Amino acid sequence: MAKRTTKNQSTSPEAIPETQVTVQTSAQPENWSYSRLTDFDIYLFRAGKHTRLYEKLGSHVVEVNGVVGTYFAVWAPAARYVSVIGNFNGWNKGNHPLKVRWDSSGIWEGFVPHIGRGEIYKYAITHESGRELEKGDPFALWWETPPQTASIVWDTWYEWKDDYWMRNRGKFNALNKPMSVYEVHLNSWRRDPSNPERQLSYGEIADALVPYVKEMGFTHIEFMPVMEHPYDPSWGYQITGYFAPTSRFGTPQDFMKLIERLHEENIGVYLDWVPSHFPGDAHGLYEFDGSHVYEHPDIRKGYHPDWKSYIFNYGRNEVRAFLLSNALFWLDRFHADGLRVDAVASMLYLDYSRNHGEWEPNVFGGRENLEVISLFQELNEAVYKEFPDAQTIAEESTAFPGVTRPTYTGGLGFGMKWMMGWMNDTLRYFQRDPYYRRWHQDELTFSAVYAFSENFMLPFSHDEVVYGKKSLVSKMPGDEWQRFANLRLLYTYMFTHPGTKLLFMGSEFGQTSEWKFEGSLDWHLLEYAPHQGMQACMKALNKLYRSEPALYELSFVQEGFEWIDTLDRENGILIYARKGTRIKEQVIIILNVTPVPRTDYRVGVPLEGSWAEVFNSDDKAFYGSGLLNEKPLESEPKTWHGRAASVQVTIPPLGAVVLKYQNT
């Protein structure tokens, strides 16, 4: 292998407690024996209970007997020989062999003096059969920028300045608080305007992204996978470096700074986490030591036919420890506020995307993957024990029961679950010509039947704007004005429906083209009034959502929602109330799903008195027609919708009105 240029070479040692150091003096420093692993570590690892493996395995700069060097430890149970190779030894696999531990753990380890932070390396592994491989470090904290594939000796040392957020994030990250999530793909949110081919650095992204998210009023941001991956078209979902943020945009510390800056503005950070599969790249986890180490050896359980990738062996204890440690790593070292777990359904079902005869039932004859169920329960117990203010969110697309229910009741223990049924029904409904919506109103009302069976997050994610599905605004029917009015109506319905919210980048200003991972969002569209109006509408919706407790305090219980009228299909009107813990703070939402304005429309209200319009999606500031209820509406003692009092409202075309009781 050709010699490569090293990066930022340093010999800063990592402090190690004396009790973890074992040194055997020798004439040759290369033969010094050093280990970070205790007997208890090995016990936990082999039992699948170790949740801090990143403190033990991988590469760590340390000082031994006054000599600074790097300790390497790697799990390769089917290897007969393992060595460290890199520029420091001319990529010669015979120069720095590791020693296999005596305890049958399959871990190889060793101390290499005089190399430190910034050194690039791989493991040269010889399988028992004689097959030779060169692999990156599964626990590497930084990698070369693709297409280069070597690991880099690095650390996660950083002087965090987000103490206020970390002390108080329970106030921002709780399930009874507003949660409006902006989903971002770092590579394509924005590029260098002067050179669209150039990717921005973490710092440059922070300079633009942090003030933008704050201005828009989102409470959280979710980054699509930032972990190191070799192939851009995978969007980051085919990971080779599970413990390293991608080097495409800078160092791990640069990414930490981005998170810190978001925290300084009281914006939470969720990370996409992918325990469902990994690619077969030669330097990655696949056949790591020449055998099926991380992936299941049975192709019926170890290969994913949809993504042509490999599935972790969830029944192998050491693999479970790897995954548990990886989840906690991002919460611990990078101060992430939660993990959105990708492709949960593909993990839960043994027959997922498989035909008859291509899968094997569990011991009870069922299709559920019992090993995955226990892994998720263990994962969520560990996360909420160690980081009680964090959240785990499942992308689970089926009706699997108890995804967000406590593990002690048999549930999986997630904090939230994506409401995929709501997303599909809602988009199907809004794509219909308004004339035909009267016959399909159940596509909107059905979600209330199961809305409180789980803690749901309402997602309009990246998956809905790719592969020919069109952008959200382009899905809407009608001319330009109607498309944007429909989208404003859709978003108002979303932000007033029970559940937390997630919106993919670009959708907030009405991106007209599908998402392109290889280029920037179409920010130039904000030169035009419809897109300016859409962006202003989203700001206003976020402000409304954050300022009205009725929209978030009881998002996951039936008491927070009540239908007022679902029967006026002819006029295309839907009316419902959202309630918080204080009855006089409730709001009423009125949707008009037709392009016909409705004047003096009578609505039953739960409280007598004055009701004021606090939001109208038809505001001229939003590129609407300006058909508003500018004066407070006084109730009349006229029974309507089963209520003793009612008001008369003007409802704009393809618009939504939100009324709030005036507690005078």
Side-chain angles (χ1 to χ4, degrees):
M1 181 179 292
K3 183 174 181 179
R4 307 177 195 169
T5 304
T6 58
K7 304 177 182 178
N8 303 323
Q9 181 105 6
S10 170
T11 54
S12 300
E14 183 177 334
I16 305 298
E18 283 297 321
T19 56
Q20 295 180 341
V21 178
T22 303
V23 178
Q24 179 179 346
T25 304
S26 171
Q28 298 294 328
E30 288 81 355
N31 295 329
W32 287 357
S33 177
Y34 170 90
S35 181
R36 297 171 68 86
L37 293 155
T38 65
D39 290 345
F40 189 53
D41 286 323
I42 298 300
Y43 166 78
L44 291 175
F45 177 52
R46 299 183 72 173
K49 304 296 183 182
H50 208 306
T51 59
R52 291 291 197 278
L53 283 176
Y54 51 90
E55 297 175 352
K56 306 293 181 174
L57 301 183
S59 59
H60 302 268
V61 178
V62 294
E63 181 177 318
V64 178
N65 282 359
V67 176
V68 173
T70 299
Y71 165 79
F72 296 92
V74 61
W75 181 51
R80 75 179 187 195
Y81 179 84
V82 180
S83 69
V84 185
I85 56 177
N87 283 347
F88 61 92
N89 63 11
W91 300 90
N92 188 326
K93 68 178 184 179
N95 284 8
H96 293 93
L98 302 180
K99 297 179 180 179
V100 66
R101 287 182 60 87
W102 57 270
D103 50 23
S104 302
S105 63
I107 295 174
W108 298 70
E109 59 185 344
F111 173 72
V112 179
H114 310 303
I115 68 169
R117 194 172 187 255
E119 196 72 59
I120 63 173
Y121 69 99
K122 284 187 175 181
Y123 294 117
I125 300 174
T126 303
H127 181 250
E128 294 166 340
S129 66
R131 180 185 174 192
E132 297 183 347
L133 309 97
E134 291 185 0
K135 291 287 187 177
D137 190 341
F139 286 85
L141 302 173
W142 200 27
W143 291 67
E144 288 187 300
T145 303
Q148 302 283 42
T149 58
S151 303
I152 303 174
V153 177
W154 206 254
D155 57 53
T156 55
W157 187 88
Y158 185 72
E159 290 191 57
W160 287 92
K161 300 180 181 65
D162 62 349
D163 289 350
Y164 175 81
W165 171 267
M166 296 301 288
R167 287 196 311 270
N168 295 280
R169 71 174 175 181
K171 301 175 183 177
F172 303 100
N173 213 32
L175 294 180
N176 63 349
K177 298 297 182 182
M179 196 171 294
S180 174
V181 184
Y182 187 56
E183 186 187 27
V184 170
H185 179 254
L186 280 170
N187 197 26
S188 59
W189 180 73
R190 182 170 292 175
R191 295 288 186 95
D192 183 347
S194 63
N195 179 12
E197 297 300 315
R198 187 180 77 83
Q199 301 171 343
L200 300 182
S201 67
Y202 286 121
E204 291 171 317
I205 292 170
D207 289 341
L209 181 63
V210 175
Y212 180 76
V213 175
K214 181 181 181 181
E215 178 189 6
M216 292 300 301
F218 291 99
T219 65
H220 292 69
I221 194 166
E222 180 188 308
F223 289 119
M224 291 171 65
V226 298
M227 298 78 181
E228 194 58 85
H229 55 281
Y231 188 50
D232 285 343
S234 77
W235 311 338
Y237 289 98
Q238 300 265 4
I239 296 171
T240 49
Y242 270 80
F243 289 83
T246 180
S247 60
R248 289 167 174 82
F249 316 113
T251 68
Q253 284 72 16
D254 292 333
F255 182 55
M256 293 175 186
K257 180 64 176 176
L258 169 57
I259 294 175
E260 178 181 84
R261 290 182 61 181
L262 286 161
H263 284 172
E264 288 173 343
E265 299 296 344
N266 292 332
I267 298 168
V269 178
Y270 295 151
L271 302 180
D272 258 3
W273 186 55
V274 190
S276 50
H277 64 120
F278 57 86
D281 293 68
H283 65 287
L285 296 179
Y286 177 63
E287 293 189 345
F288 184 77
D289 63 359
S291 69
H292 297 293
V293 183
Y294 289 93
E295 69 275 8
H296 199 287
D298 186 339
I299 194 171
R300 294 174 296 179
K301 295 181 178 180
Y303 181 73
H304 203 296
D306 286 350
W307 303 315
K308 307 297 187 290
S309 54
Y310 297 89
I311 301 171
F312 285 101
N313 186 349
Y314 303 111
R316 189 168 191 173
N317 285 343
E318 294 89 345
V319 174
R320 293 170 72 95
F322 173 87
L323 291 171
L324 292 172
S325 295
N326 186 242
L328 268 64
F329 168 80
W330 294 100
L331 302 173
D332 176 21
R333 297 296 176 87
F334 284 83
H335 287 198
D337 302 298
L339 300 173
R340 177 267 191 186
V341 184
D342 181 62
V344 168
S346 76
M347 299 171 63
L348 286 172
Y349 295 103
L350 295 165
D351 63 345
Y352 187 90
S353 288
R354 298 181 188 276
N355 299 317
H356 180 72
E358 295 177 348
W359 62 282
E360 182 181 36
N362 62 37
V363 293
F364 302 110
R367 55 195 285 255
E368 297 80 13
N369 191 324
L370 304 180
E371 295 163 348
V372 167
I373 291 172
S374 67
L375 174 65
F376 280 144
Q377 291 173 329
E378 195 170 352
L379 164 74
N380 287 311
E381 288 173 358
V383 167
Y384 287 108
K385 176 184 177 183
E386 299 293 330
F387 303 95
D389 294 332
Q391 294 290 351
T392 57
I393 307 163
E395 188 217 4
E396 205 285 308
S397 55
T398 73
F400 191 93
V403 173
T404 60
R405 294 298 172 250
T407 58
Y408 62 79
T409 66
L412 298 185
F414 283 94
M416 284 171 281
K417 167 182 170 174
W418 276 19
M419 198 175 187
M420 307 295 280
W422 171 90
M423 178 273 297
N424 285 312
D425 288 346
T426 299
L427 290 181
R428 186 184 307 113
Y429 178 83
F430 273 90
Q431 289 179 84
R432 298 186 187 280
D433 185 296
Y435 178 80
Y436 298 104
R437 289 175 178 172
R438 70 187 75 182
W439 294 294
H440 299 278
Q441 207 142 288
D442 58 305
E443 291 174 344
L444 283 193
T445 60
F446 179 64
S447 63
V449 174
Y450 64 95
F452 309 104
S453 61
E454 301 277 6
N455 299 337
F456 281 117
M457 174 177 280
L458 314 182
F460 288 141
S461 74
H462 63 275
D463 279 330
E464 312 320 316
V465 293
V466 292
Y467 297 144
K469 296 179 183 178
K470 301 188 290 188
S471 68
L472 290 184
V473 72
S474 297
K475 295 176 192 286
M476 301 295 106
D479 59 22
E480 180 185 69
W481 189 92
Q482 291 177 327
R483 287 198 305 275
F484 279 87
N486 266 300
L487 190 60
R488 294 192 303 270
L489 176 61
L490 169 63
Y491 288 162
T492 308
Y493 169 62
M494 173 188 187
F495 272 73
T496 56
H497 188 286
T500 56
K501 330 296 176 187
L502 179 137
L503 189 67
F504 184 56
M505 63 182 197
S507 301
E508 78 279 9
F509 62 79
Q511 170 103 2
T512 52
S513 63
E514 284 190 344
W515 170 50
K516 302 178 291 293
F517 73 88
E518 68 273 28
S520 172
L521 295 178
D522 294 330
W523 293 102
H524 65 277
L525 292 175
L526 286 170
E527 299 173 11
Y528 304 101
H531 301 277
Q532 294 170 1
M534 183 58 65
Q535 188 184 58
C537 180
M538 181 52 59
K539 289 182 190 178
L541 279 171
N542 271 325
K543 182 178 179 181
L544 176 75
Y545 177 49
R546 295 174 71 160
S547 62
E548 296 299 335
L551 295 178
Y552 60 78
E553 283 184 335
L554 302 176
S555 274
F556 305 117
V557 292
Q558 181 68 57
E559 291 76 12
F561 177 84
E562 181 184 4
W563 282 117
I564 293 177
D565 186 32
T566 64
L567 300 178
D568 192 359
R569 294 171 178 258
E570 189 65 29
N571 288 314
I573 303 296
L574 285 161
I575 310 172
Y576 51 94
R578 291 296 311 280
K579 304 174 183 180
T581 57
R582 292 167 292 279
I583 189 171
K584 290 187 177 181
E585 288 191 347
Q586 64 184 292
V587 295
I588 293 174
I589 299 94
I590 308 162
L591 309 180
N592 179 4
V593 300
T594 75
V596 181
R598 311 294 177 186
T599 57
D600 297 327
Y601 191 93
R602 189 165 291 278
V603 175
V605 294
L607 297 171
E608 294 182 0
S610 180
W611 290 79
E613 182 177 271
V614 293
F615 180 86
N616 189 318
S617 68
D618 195 49
D619 197 305
K620 286 185 177 180
F622 307 155
Y623 192 62
S625 64
L627 199 58
L628 311 178
N629 296 275
E630 297 181 295
K631 295 181 180 180
L633 307 173
E634 299 298 331
S635 70
E636 303 173 65
K638 187 171 184 178
T639 300
W640 211 261
H641 293 140
R643 288 152 179 84
S646 58
V647 297
Q648 286 187 302
V649 187
T650 295
I651 314 171
L654 297 172
V657 172
V658 180
L659 303 178
K660 183 179 181 181
Y661 181 71
Q662 299 301 287
N663 188 10
T664 56

